[in-house]
Structure formats: C-alpha cells, structure tokens
Amino acid sequence: MAKKNTSSGQVRIISGQWRSRKLPIHDLEGLRPTTDRVRETLFNWLANDIRGARVLDCYAGSGALGLEALSRYANFATMIELQKNAANQLKQNLATLQCQNAEVVNADSLQMLAKGTATGFDIVFIDPPFHKDLAGKTVELLMTHQWLNNDALIYVETESTLASFQVPATWIALKEKQAGQVCYRLYQYQADIAAKSATE
C-alpha cells in the first residue's frame, strides 16, 4: 500500500489558509493517507473548482483530502469515517483549526450514503480502504440516492490492481494517473447526458 511521505502520525496541509500545518492522526489499521505527491496533483486538477464548493469525503480517514479542501476555501465539507478514534481525531483537528464549516460523521459510509441527502455536493472524494470492493458500491449509492450536483467532480483513488472498476455513462473521465500501487482518477458528473439519452 502507498505510504505517506511525511512523518508517521501526522498529516500536513499543503496549501491554502492552513498551509504547512501538521496535524496528528491515529495510526490505525487500514488508515492510508493520500500521499503529498498525489494530493498535490489532485488539488492542481481541482484548483479552479474548490473555492466555494460543497465537499463530501466518503472515507475520510486522516482527513487529508477534506482538510486540504477546506484549507483552500471550500464552502463546506462532510467527512464520513467509520473508525471512532479516527473520527474523534478529525473533530479535534477541526477544533484546533477553528474550522466551523465542516462536519465529521462517525458512520459506515455505505449505510450513510444509502440514506440519501437533502443537499447535493460539488466535489466528492472516494478513497476507500483497498481490497474491500467498496469503490464500485460507493459510486452506485452516490448515483441512486442523488448525492451529486450537476457538473460535480468526483475523485476516485483505488489500488492499481483493481480491474473491474466501472463508472456510469454520465461520468466523464477527465484525468487519470498512477503512482506505485495507487491509481487515481477524476471524473465529472453530467446529468444532461442521461436526459439526452432518454429523449433519443
């Protein structure tokens, strides 16, 4: 699995209002923070879209993606994390940063997504634990229960050996790269594709 390239037990915010801040994280089994290198690439991709966006981090873990988005002036972030210790650490880190435009939900992501949402999201991070067949199920629930605003950007990070990952026809592939054992992709959801297909 990919290893973080900063000291163990910390996550470093790369840019934005909290640039270079280092925050503690729990060293828990399966916790695999997105590396600085990959995060830098991802947020270069998102540079023109992150400010003012509503962000959903489906597998928050260390909070590396959600916190980076908030540092770069995302409007609001919902971070879902199953492990209680990790969720509590995320809440503490938000308090340390005096960040009030985020929520941490200590829950199973698939169960949470199955409940639906009253307000959609503009940017969604899907970075689940590897080798548990979660990415495809997450995509399905996001679509079924209308979590995505039109033109939403979706980031998906999976193990590079995953051969069967598929996305809906309404997801347009924008970017794809590989770093070691990690494959990461950026898509854009375009609801009008489905509408156009229905009328043809």
Side-chain angles (χ1 to χ4, degrees):
M1 286 188 178
K3 297 295 183 183
K4 190 171 164 52
N5 58 356
T6 58
S7 60
S8 178
Q10 289 185 323
V11 62
R12 182 178 72 88
I13 297 175
I14 297 171
S15 189
Q17 60 183 318
W18 305 317
R19 180 175 183 167
S20 299
R21 287 288 295 270
K22 293 181 179 179
L23 298 164
I25 61 174
H26 274 284
D27 186 16
L28 299 173
E29 182 180 354
L31 193 65
R32 182 189 42 80
T34 299
T35 64
D36 284 10
R37 173 187 168 191
V38 172
R39 266 192 299 145
E40 192 158 10
T41 299
L42 165 61
F43 283 93
N44 284 339
W45 291 348
L46 298 175
N48 296 324
D49 301 284
I50 197 74
R51 183 181 288 266
R54 283 179 52 82
V55 173
L56 174 65
D57 192 347
C58 296
Y59 299 89
S62 69
L65 298 179
L67 291 171
E68 190 73 41
L70 289 163
S71 182
R72 298 177 190 231
Y73 303 100
N75 183 59
F76 188 82
T78 294
M79 295 184 274
I80 308 171
E81 172 52 40
L82 176 61
Q83 298 189 72
K84 187 174 182 179
N85 287 342
N88 287 340
Q89 184 64 67
L90 263 175
K91 292 176 183 178
Q92 291 176 26
N93 288 343
L94 289 169
T96 298
L97 295 167
Q98 298 183 321
C99 176
Q100 298 180 343
N101 57 325
E103 63 175 351
V104 178
V105 182
N106 180 204
D108 178 280
S109 294
L110 298 184
Q111 292 179 11
M112 174 83 176
L113 294 175
K115 295 178 180 178
T117 181
T119 308
F121 289 84
D122 306 304
I123 294 175
V124 177
F125 300 127
I126 305 172
D127 178 17
F130 284 177
H131 310 296
K132 293 189 176 182
D133 193 30
L134 292 171
K137 294 174 183 176
T138 303
V139 169
E140 184 178 341
L141 289 168
L142 288 169
M143 292 300 296
T144 301
H145 299 283
Q146 301 178 332
W147 286 83
L148 304 177
N149 290 332
N150 194 31
D151 294 326
L153 294 167
I154 309 103
Y155 171 76
V156 183
E157 184 175 323
T158 64
E159 62 271 34
S160 58
T161 55
L162 184 65
S164 60
F165 182 69
Q166 295 180 334
V167 298
T170 49
W171 288 27
I172 307 303
L174 301 179
K175 304 281 187 179
E176 179 173 345
K177 292 193 76 171
Q178 185 169 328
Q181 299 178 50
V182 175
C183 183
Y184 53 109
R185 309 170 177 92
L186 186 68
Y187 300 92
Q188 185 168 46
Y189 169 58
Q190 296 188 347
D192 54 346
I193 293 177
K196 182 178 179 181
S197 298
T199 58
E200 289 180 347

